[in-house]
Amino acid sequence: STTSISQDSGDLTGTIPTEFGLMTDLTEINLSDNSLIGTVPSELGNLYKMNSNLRLESNLLTGTVPSELGNLVQMAAWFNLGSNLLEGTIPTQLGKQTLMSGNFRLNVNSLTSSMPTELGNLLEMSINLNLQRNSLDSSLPTELGRLEKMSSALFLRTNAFSSKIPTELGKLVEMQTSFSLSFNSFSSTLPTGRTRRFAPTCPPNYRPSRAASRLGRSQRAPLSVPFAAK
């Protein structure tokens, strides 16, 4: 039986077939950097064996992020719907992906409302949590301070976050690379927690999205501002 569907950086058009949801032995779907349109099928939430990659970034997908994707509780490496045209809220159910340790990305969309506190349940997250360049608002969840294995990149810049920056973020003592909160509406300065000093960087292996480029958007993550921590 088929366990992987991978056709990235190609010339795929049309919509993602809902029938993929019947292929219950799938552990990976990678259709990134194509020209796919339509919505993300909620039927993908039936793929309970999915434990590697769900990569649909850099397409022209519309609609909302299906809450059913929270059923993919074995996901560990890549959950990436970034650089599309998605709207609506981030489903709280995504907080059930508690084995996720790699890349969780919903960046460069048009997502709104607050950041779910349930994302603080992603306790294995260590590499990249990227929600930058949306329209997320309200305050940052203090629960982000629970992600104590985070060591690489936390990108939340260019949203509409407000209120104070949680002092709980000072618990992210393993952070070494990029922490970016700029271009928001915070009412306080960065807390002086126990975090290490971060070196400004862009993500490794950066490659611009062809689909995003056609929309006049860039995937490049801007340089982060280092914490003034000790």
Side-chain angles (χ1 to χ4, degrees):
S1 58
T2 302
T3 61
S4 175
I5 296 175
S6 183
Q7 183 60 58
D8 60 315
S9 304
D11 297 308
L12 296 180
T13 59
T15 60
I16 300 173
T18 59
E19 289 80 5
F20 281 179
L22 301 175
M23 304 174 69
T24 53
D25 287 324
L26 282 175
T27 62
E28 174 187 33
I29 296 178
N30 185 353
L31 301 176
S32 60
D33 205 3
N34 282 288
S35 299
L36 297 172
I37 61 172
T39 60
V40 178
S42 61
E43 289 82 358
L44 297 183
N46 297 329
L47 304 178
Y48 300 111
K49 294 183 181 180
M50 184 84 70
N51 61 11
S52 179
N53 300 326
L54 178 59
R55 300 191 58 174
L56 304 177
E57 74 267 22
S58 304
N59 280 286
L60 301 169
L61 299 172
T62 55
T64 61
V65 178
S67 61
E68 290 83 356
L69 297 185
N71 296 331
L72 307 181
V73 296
Q74 302 299 318
M75 291 294 300
W78 282 87
F79 179 84
N80 195 343
L81 305 183
S83 296
N84 280 289
L85 301 169
L86 300 174
E87 300 176 326
T89 62
I90 299 175
T92 60
Q93 291 85 346
L94 296 184
K96 295 190 296 183
Q97 296 183 4
T98 56
L99 299 181
M100 174 59 65
S101 61
N103 291 271
F104 184 99
R105 303 188 186 190
L106 295 172
N107 56 299
V108 195
N109 281 290
S110 297
L111 301 175
T112 57
S113 193
S114 58
M115 181 178 177
T117 60
E118 287 80 1
L119 294 187
N121 295 329
L122 306 181
L123 300 181
E124 298 300 317
M125 176 64 63
S126 63
I127 298 179
N128 192 323
L129 176 59
N130 191 340
L131 304 180
Q132 70 177 349
R133 297 187 66 183
N134 281 286
S135 297
L136 300 172
D137 58 23
S138 193
S139 58
L140 283 182
T142 59
E143 289 80 0
L144 288 180
R146 301 176 62 199
L147 307 182
E148 296 185 7
K149 295 184 180 181
M150 285 292 299
S151 62
S152 182
L154 178 60
F155 289 115
L156 300 176
R157 66 173 289 152
T158 318
N159 279 284
F161 291 121
S162 58
S163 191
K164 294 184 178 181
I165 299 173
T167 58
E168 287 81 359
L169 296 184
K171 297 177 181 179
L172 307 183
V173 297
E174 299 299 321
M175 287 293 296
Q176 300 180 49
T177 308
S178 294
F179 185 104
S180 186
L181 300 179
S182 55
F183 296 101
N184 281 288
S185 299
F186 292 115
S187 60
S188 66
T189 58
L190 290 170
T192 55
R194 293 179 290 124
T195 44
R196 299 173 182 172
R197 184 177 298 276
F198 303 123
T201 184
C202 283
N205 303 320
Y206 161 72
R207 181 166 53 87
S209 157
R210 292 183 301 156
S213 296
R214 286 195 295 273
L215 293 171
R217 302 182 300 175
S218 171
Q219 262 188 303
R220 182 182 298 275
L223 299 181
S224 63
V225 178
F227 252 5
K230 299 179 181 179

